[in-house]
Amino acid sequence: MNDRDVLLQATSPRLTAPEAGAALLLTVDTPVFHVSTSGAGSPAAINFKATQINLPGTVQWSCSAGGVLSGSGNTRSLAYSAMSVQQVTVTATLLHDSGVTFTAQQIVNKVQDGVNGVPGSNGSSGKSARQCFTLIDGYALAFNPASVTVQGDAYPPVGTWGETRPWGAAINGAPAERQVWFQSSGNYDPVTNQTVWTTPFQSYAKFGSLEAISTKTGALTFSDTCKSENGNVAINADGTFLLRSQGNERMELTPKGFYLFSDGKPVIELGVPYK
C-alpha cells in the first residue's frame, strides 16, 4: 500500500448524485373519508404506499397534526378513528447519500353529508281523463262544436251535438236496432275546475238491415247470388240476370242469350232458343 492509498482510505466517503430517473412516489387508496350525517366514516382506513425508483435508502413517514399513521416499511395506514381533524397531510421522505431529499405527499379530507333539506311542497295536480256516453236514435251526431267546456266534473249539456238523452258515466244497456251509443272524451283540469269535452264518436251500435244505411261500396265481389227480397231482381255470379215485373212478365240474360217473356212465354229471343 502506498502513501496515496492511505490518504484515500482516510478521507470521508464521496457524495454521488442520484441516478437518472430517480423518484419517490406516494399512492393512496382514496383521498377522502366519507362521513354520514350520523358521523360514521367510510372507509375504516386509508392505505398509503411509497415506491422507490432508482432510489436506495429508507423512507421516513410523517403526518400533520390530527392524524396518526400505523404500519411499517413502505406502507402506512390512516384509520378514520385516528384522524381528529378535517384535513391531514401524509408525507414520505427519503434522504439520498448525495444530500438530496426526495419528498412525496398526499392530502386526506373528511367530507361529511349535510343535513336533510326542508321537504318541498306538493306540485299541482295534473289533468285527468274523463269519458261519458249517450244513446241516440239514428247513426250520427253533429260535428260542431269541436269541444265544449263545462264547470267542474259535469257532463256536456244535453243537445250540444244534437243528442236528446242525457250523458252518463257508462253504457248501461245494448242499443236497439238503428240506435247508437256515442262517447265523448274529456280532460278535467283541477286548477281551473273545468272539463273540456270533445266531439262525440260512435262507441256501440246496432245497425239492423243494411237498407237503413247509405253506403259506397266501391268494388263489390260476390260468389253466389245478389237478389231483391221478393226475388224479382237477381244477379248470379255466373253472369245470369233476371228482371221480373208483376205476373209472368220478365227479362232474362243468360250465357245462352237474351230473352223477354210475356205471360210466361218468350216473345223475344236473341241467342239459342229458350228451353
Side-chain angles (χ1 to χ4, degrees):
M1 178 180 294
N2 55 36
D3 295 340
R4 183 174 181 274
D5 291 335
V6 173
L7 292 174
L8 289 173
Q9 289 179 352
T11 60
S12 299
R14 292 184 178 181
L15 300 178
T16 58
E19 295 184 28
L24 177 63
L25 305 180
L26 181 60
T27 56
V28 61
D29 290 343
T30 174
V32 173
F33 281 115
H34 173 231
V35 185
S36 68
T37 54
S38 63
S42 177
I46 293 176
N47 301 309
F48 303 84
K49 180 179 181 182
T51 302
Q52 298 167 240
I53 301 176
N54 295 332
L55 194 63
T58 301
V59 176
Q60 303 298 320
W61 293 85
S62 65
C63 184
S64 61
V68 178
L69 298 177
S70 62
S72 61
N74 278 17
T75 60
R76 293 290 187 275
S77 294
L78 174 64
Y80 174 74
S81 59
M83 181 174 169
S84 60
V85 293
Q86 290 298 115
Q87 184 184 87
V88 296
T89 301
V90 176
T91 303
T93 304
L94 190 149
L95 178 60
H96 189 262
D97 291 341
S98 64
V100 177
T101 300
F102 288 80
T103 303
Q105 292 183 324
Q106 290 284 358
I107 297 176
V108 177
N109 287 278
K110 289 181 178 179
V111 179
Q112 186 162 4
D113 292 337
V115 297
N116 293 332
V118 178
S121 58
N122 293 332
S124 300
S125 299
K127 296 180 180 180
S128 56
R130 296 288 191 271
Q131 61 182 10
C132 61
F133 303 85
T134 189
L135 181 67
I136 73 163
D137 299 318
Y139 300 105
L141 287 177
F143 291 105
N144 291 314
S147 65
V148 61
T149 302
V150 299
Q151 286 299 121
D153 204 12
Y155 297 130
V158 177
T160 300
W161 293 282
E163 70 277 13
T164 59
R165 296 181 178 90
W167 295 87
I171 294 175
N172 56 19
E177 186 174 317
R178 303 182 186 181
Q179 283 187 330
V180 174
W181 280 101
F182 266 81
Q183 175 180 340
S184 178
S185 298
N187 271 324
Y188 171 69
D189 188 341
V191 176
T192 62
N193 191 32
Q194 291 180 328
T195 303
V196 179
W197 296 99
T198 59
T199 305
F201 55 91
Q202 287 186 356
S203 179
Y204 180 19
K206 184 174 182 180
F207 293 101
S209 302
L210 286 176
E211 74 262 18
I213 303 175
S214 295
T215 181
K216 296 180 180 179
T217 64
L220 182 63
T221 301
F222 63 94
S223 59
D224 197 343
T225 300
C226 180
K227 64 179 180 179
S228 62
E229 184 177 3
N230 58 14
N232 286 345
V233 179
I235 302 174
N236 295 307
D238 63 2
T240 303
F241 174 76
L242 169 66
L243 178 62
R244 179 185 291 114
S245 63
Q246 297 296 327
N248 290 322
E249 309 299 321
R250 74 181 191 275
M251 179 183 69
E252 290 185 17
L253 177 63
T254 72
K256 294 183 178 181
F258 173 79
Y259 308 94
L260 185 62
F261 292 81
S262 177
D263 197 22
K265 299 178 180 179
V267 294
I268 298 177
E269 296 179 306
L270 298 177
V272 179
Y274 189 85
K275 293 183 180 180

